[in-house]
Amino acid sequence: MKLDVCRWKSDRRVFLKTATGSAIIAMIEGQSAIAKPTLFVQTAGSNSLGVTKATRVIIDTDPGVDDAFALMLALQSPELKVEAVTAVAGNLPLGITLPNALRLVEICDRADIPVAGGAAAPLIRRQVTAASAHGENGLGGVELPEPKITPVKEHAADLICRIANQSPGEVTLIGLGPLTNIALALRADPTLSKAVKGIVLMGGSLSGGNVTPAAEFNFYVDPEAASIVFNSGIPITMVGLDVTRKVELTESYIRQLEAGKNKPSQAAARIARAIMATYKKHGQNGGPTLHDPLAVSALIRPNILTFEDYQVKIETTGTITAGESVGWKRDPINYAAALENIGPSSTKSEGTFTPNTKVAVDVRPDEFFHLLIERITSNA
Amino acid sequence: MKQTRKNHLWFVSLLLILSGAMYSRSSFAQDTRYVIIDQDAVGPAGTDMNSMLVFLQAAHVNVLGITVLTGDGWRDEEVAHTLRLLELMGRTDIPVMAGAVTPLVRTQEWTHAWEQVYGKVIYQGAWSSFRPKHGAYEIPKLAEGDPTTKVANEDAAHFLIRMVHKYPHKVTIYAAGPMTNIAQAISLDPHFAELAEELVIMGGSLNPHTEDKEYVDSPRHEFNLWFDPEASSIVFHAHWPKITATPVDVSIETHLTKEMLEQLKTANTPAAQYIARYTRKPGDYLWDELAAAAWLDPGLITRERFVYIDVSLDKGISYGDTIVWSDDDKPALDLQKAHVQIDVDWPKFKKFFVQLMSSSAPGATNPQMRTQPNQ
């Protein structure tokens, strides 16, 4: 992606004064008026009247078939106030994920939400994509109209820093792709980890990977970025393969989408059909696994998932296991053994058990699909 | 005819005067070189701070700004030392930007685990056990006085990016600390490196001829590149018009000698007085000073190698080590060549440095550093 040369001309201070941030927030505040209050009390802090405030989120994504479903779910759910969508290279190169993000925001009639482009490649490693699972255009080959809206000039990492810092303790990041943009933001602004309320992410697994037996795709693509995020101190909610592999979209749900009258339902059904046809060609039955919307659902209806506290670290060293998420449940926190005995206590614990992650360990798929279909087919 | 000729002569002489004036003006403009100093700035005095003085003392050098990051010390304390230096030198017109507080990927905890398997790393900058212990964001009282000026609002990476777009192909990036800020700029703007004029670093180690215990058994280890190996690798893979490196090999041929300090003591400039007053003991290598000085006068370097350069990201024993290849043995990767300095004309550099510090600074206004010869 070519960068706009002018984008850096105004410094941050000037930008903060002139940016559309406040206008956007005002718009989103307006949107919250239509929120259905009190339904999902666990979602966010309630005030004394029991009225639930929508959770303010920035969605970092690489659409992507399941990302498309996740964006529709988030954009059509009143429990979430989507402050911005940021695109990253992952399932497909940034040249595809960014226009797809724009398309999806447009299909949900949410052109008011800023969309920013971010990292075109992982921090260190060579780019790996998953076109075979998502189609060359990231949407199973379904041609959605060219987006009319354009991305904002700001880099995704800058936008994340700016919005999070404007409202410390308020904004939750949703990471649906490789964590490159979020890692860049964390390193660009060392205070960001204090300003962010939490990170909910689709990625990782405590029960084996999908690219290698060790690593899930998002962490496999940029293990260094994932490691930065898990070392950041931000409270993490990890929705990984442990649960997402249990939410495969089936024929009956696709029919329900097809019955939906709005644009998102129709687009979602077409994408799902196209993916099923592709799978069939390769001798596989079944529909797409909806990893990313399950992560989004954790913020809308947390009781769909069961969580357990873990101390999670990301393997960046292994030639075979890079990108593996390793979760400790209790002390001692041990790393690899020394190559030689180095004294009486040759196994040295590397610190105490301090859980940094709520890991989703079980899921109620029916409840998830009920929520997903209801939201996508509703006219938000 | 005569009249015409007279007019003609007059015209020619006017033209000569004008072109002379224009020539000297344009030559001045050509001579002004733009540089951003990217430093881990432990002070007062010491190699990090003294290298800034090399640029501040030089004629026809426009220091666009100083970007600071954790390396030898913690970022925020270093920012304070840098602000104070600029106050003492009367150069508060130069902005100071704060950058990275930690390496991209490496953590102190992980490094401790690594040391259990592969052995102790003698020098770890801000993480060193011998450094005064304080938190990353704490700023202790400074020996040279606390600054009253403030760090800029813009962060290091964005400043770096904004400057190369403002002066395309004209800005030298002088990086004498870990490479985190530069890597961050490259990650945020893939055109950053190609828009710079050149990259000058103090960093790396090839084959230093020394008994120094930090290098004798680990000749490819050097702190700046080691502290953030991922950032170093990102920087070396970027497409710079030119890379110049001052590695340990040549640094160890230089020392801030007692004799130099005596000479600086008698010089009446704020720069010389600053070094004389705050240098705790003579003998330190002139790591960063040489990298800066050789950019001003490449003739100081008597031997260099022109090799492909990278840093090992293998998490084993070599993690963070400098790697170089010639055209004959380079792997089929998109690597960049660097001018790696091997030997220096030490007497010439010694003289150059003392003279530069002892000469009046071009851009200084109302320096706060009182000159107190023979103190």
Side-chain angles (χ1 to χ4, degrees):
Chain A
M1 189 195 66
K2 272 240 152 100
L3 277 192
D4 185 337
V5 172
C6 299
R7 73 167 5 147
W8 307 110
K9 289 265 163 81
S10 63
D11 75 22
R12 233 182 222 177
R13 188 173 21 175
V14 175
F15 190 77
L16 272 175
K17 283 188 187 143
T18 56
T20 50
S22 53
I24 292 158
I25 289 163
M27 268 185 261
I28 295 167
E29 291 288 353
Q31 191 252 340
S32 75
I34 62 161
K36 298 160 199 151
T38 68
L39 281 177
F40 309 109
V41 180
Q42 299 113 310
T43 309
S46 321
N47 67 18
S48 55
L49 299 172
V51 178
T52 306
K53 251 170 62 187
T55 304
R56 298 172 60 182
V57 299
I58 299 172
I59 303 177
D60 188 67
T61 178
D62 56 338
V65 168
D66 57 326
D67 301 75
F69 281 80
L71 281 169
M72 291 175 188
L73 173 61
L75 295 171
Q76 306 244 100
S77 288
E79 296 87 348
L80 302 182
K81 282 204 312 191
V82 181
E83 305 266 343
V85 173
T86 54
V88 65
N91 289 326
L92 279 306
L94 186 67
I96 292 172
T97 60
L98 178 56
N100 280 351
L102 294 166
R103 285 186 177 97
L104 289 156
V105 165
E106 221 169 58
I107 282 173
C108 295
D109 275 328
R110 291 303 306 276
D112 56 302
I113 296 174
V115 178
L123 286 181
I124 323 283
R125 294 171 193 261
R126 203 178 52 174
Q127 192 179 356
V128 176
T129 57
S132 60
H134 296 268
E136 291 296 334
N137 77 347
L139 301 170
V142 172
E143 298 288 342
L144 297 179
E146 279 300 308
K148 286 190 215 55
I149 54 171
T150 52
V152 296
K153 296 263 184 264
E154 213 175 3
H155 191 283
D158 295 335
L159 183 144
I160 291 168
C161 291
R162 180 172 57 79
I163 294 183
N165 284 321
Q166 273 169 356
S167 316
E170 289 275 316
V171 179
T172 300
L173 306 180
I174 301 181
L176 304 178
L179 293 165
T180 322
N181 283 343
I182 297 176
L184 279 172
L186 285 167
R187 284 296 175 267
D189 179 357
T191 64
L192 179 68
S193 57
K194 296 270 185 301
V196 168
K197 186 178 177 189
I199 296 180
V200 175
L201 57 87
M202 191 281 134
S205 170
L206 299 185
S207 55
N210 55 359
V211 182
T212 65
E216 177 278 334
F217 178 80
N218 286 340
F219 292 5
Y220 171 86
V221 169
D222 200 341
E224 284 75 18
S227 176
I228 287 171
V229 169
F230 279 83
N231 282 333
S232 69
I234 301 175
I236 297 169
T237 303
M238 176 176 129
V239 180
L241 295 175
D242 312 296
V243 286
T244 64
R245 53 163 79 94
K246 295 174 187 166
V247 288
E248 190 184 293
L249 193 68
T250 57
E251 177 65 30
S252 69
Y253 292 125
I254 297 177
R255 283 205 201 109
Q256 290 179 42
L257 286 173
E258 280 167 340
K261 296 283 178 284
N262 60 355
K263 281 191 289 179
S265 312
Q266 292 304 311
R270 282 173 65 202
I271 294 167
R273 283 266 176 245
I275 285 292
M276 279 183 105
T278 313
Y279 287 0
K280 201 155 241 166
K281 238 186 271 174
H282 294 96
Q284 292 170 335
N285 284 318
T289 306
L290 296 186
H291 307 278
D292 290 345
L294 186 60
V296 170
S297 80
L299 279 171
I300 300 172
R301 208 172 285 177
N303 57 8
I304 284 174
L305 294 157
T306 307
F307 297 97
E308 282 178 10
D309 283 344
Y310 277 90
Q311 181 165 339
V312 175
K313 289 194 169 285
I314 310 301
E315 178 62 89
T316 57
T317 304
T319 352
I320 303 170
T321 55
E324 179 175 21
S325 41
V326 180
W328 284 264
K329 198 93 184 70
R330 60 186 69 82
D331 280 327
I333 309 296
N334 287 329
Y335 289 178
L339 296 181
E340 302 280 342
N341 269 335
I342 51 171
S345 58
S346 58
T347 307
K348 185 172 169 280
S349 174
E350 301 301 332
T352 51
F353 175 68
T354 40
N356 61 348
T357 309
K358 290 199 174 308
V359 179
V361 293
D362 203 2
V363 57
R364 284 163 277 282
D366 293 345
E367 285 177 44
F368 164 68
F369 280 112
H370 180 79
L371 172 78
L372 181 79
I373 304 291
E374 174 202 295
R375 292 300 161 84
I376 292 182
T377 55
S378 78
N379 290 301
Chain B
M1 186 67 187
K2 205 176 173 185
Q3 183 69 35
T4 323
R5 195 175 158 199
K6 200 174 168 187
N7 275 347
H8 181 70
L9 267 175
W10 195 85
F11 179 73
V12 167
S13 53
L14 185 72
L15 205 72
L16 275 172
I17 292 162
L18 274 174
S19 67
M22 277 169 68
Y23 176 74
S24 63
R25 214 191 125 149
S26 67
S27 72
F28 174 77
Q30 274 168 10
D31 282 345
T32 299
R33 302 170 76 189
Y34 295 117
V35 64
I36 298 172
I37 303 172
D38 186 71
Q39 263 291 14
D40 51 343
V42 158
T47 192
D48 301 326
M49 310 313 292
N50 297 354
S51 72
M52 297 179 191
L53 294 175
V54 172
F55 291 108
L56 298 181
Q57 292 289 104
H60 309 313
V61 170
N62 184 348
V63 178
L64 296 172
I66 303 176
T67 53
V68 178
L69 80 165
T70 294
D72 287 333
W74 292 110
R75 182 196 67 176
D76 288 357
E77 182 183 349
E78 295 174 340
V79 164
H81 282 300
T82 307
L83 290 169
R84 186 61 185 152
L85 176 85
L86 293 175
E87 289 173 7
L88 295 173
M89 297 304 129
R91 290 307 305 272
T92 51
D93 57 305
I94 297 173
V96 178
M97 276 64 52
V101 177
T102 62
L104 289 178
V105 179
R106 181 196 284 285
T107 64
Q108 196 172 0
E109 180 208 14
W110 186 90
T111 304
H112 284 157
W114 184 95
E115 287 181 285
Q116 286 190 51
V117 183
Y118 298 111
K120 283 206 172 60
V121 177
I122 290 174
Y123 179 72
Q124 302 189 13
W127 297 344
S128 293
S129 48
F130 60 81
R131 280 255 188 268
K133 284 260 176 292
H134 68 75
Y137 298 96
E138 278 169 53
I139 305 172
K141 238 179 146 34
L142 305 189
E144 71 273 38
D146 294 329
T148 54
T149 45
K150 295 273 178 279
V151 68
N153 239 2
E154 197 175 15
D155 66 277
H158 286 87
F159 176 82
L160 286 159
I161 292 166
R162 192 162 61 82
M163 285 299 126
V164 300
H165 283 280
K166 189 171 176 186
Y167 306 106
H169 312 293
K170 281 201 154 63
V171 183
T172 292
I173 308 297
Y174 167 84
M179 296 296 141
T180 322
N181 286 346
I182 313 298
Q184 187 79 14
I186 293 166
S187 295
L188 288 174
D189 179 357
H191 299 289
F192 173 72
E194 61 204 59
L195 280 170
E197 185 179 20
E198 68 171 304
L199 173 73
V200 172
I201 69 157
M202 189 282 129
S205 182
L206 270 52
N207 184 22
H209 298 174
T210 178
E211 294 300 314
D212 187 320
K213 63 179 179 174
E214 194 178 348
Y215 306 105
V216 65
D217 296 324
S218 49
R220 292 297 177 117
H221 170 94
E222 182 280 325
F223 171 75
N224 282 348
L225 299 188
W226 169 88
F227 192 64
D228 193 342
E230 283 76 11
S232 307
S233 188
I234 288 172
V235 167
F236 287 137
H237 282 255
H239 290 189
W240 303 90
K242 186 183 176 194
I243 303 174
T244 305
T246 303
V248 173
D249 306 59
V250 66
S251 305
I252 54 164
E253 296 178 0
T254 67
H255 295 276
L256 185 56
T257 63
K258 215 173 150 194
E259 173 204 0
M260 288 165 81
L261 279 171
E262 292 301 327
Q263 290 170 344
L264 291 171
K265 252 180 213 164
T266 62
N268 259 320
T269 63
Q273 286 303 306
Y274 174 85
I275 299 175
R277 192 180 299 177
Y278 296 116
T279 300
R280 270 165 303 178
K281 56 174 178 39
D284 280 356
Y285 300 124
L286 295 165
W287 310 98
D288 299 352
E289 296 93 328
L290 176 59
W295 177 73
L296 294 172
D297 181 2
L300 295 173
I301 300 302
T302 54
R303 191 159 72 96
E304 69 163 38
R305 293 187 62 197
F306 191 44
V307 285
Y308 297 96
I309 188 163
D310 202 352
V311 162
S312 171
L313 298 186
D314 184 327
K315 299 284 167 59
I317 183 83
S318 73
Y319 185 45
D321 279 2
T322 314
I323 330 168
V324 295
W325 298 270
S326 70
D327 282 300
D328 301 331
D329 55 11
K330 156 191 187 287
L333 295 173
D334 184 18
L335 294 161
Q336 311 304 313
K337 265 188 158 173
H339 298 268
V340 181
Q341 300 160 352
I342 302 297
D343 288 312
V344 61
D345 184 339
W346 169 227
K348 189 176 169 186
F349 172 46
K350 201 162 31 171
K351 209 169 134 197
F352 177 98
F353 183 73
V354 172
Q355 272 179 3
L356 186 63
M357 291 306 124
S358 310
S359 60
S360 66
T365 49
N366 305 320
Q368 291 178 27
M369 189 85 199
R370 278 168 305 155
T371 53
Q372 296 175 350
N374 310 317
Q375 190 202 355

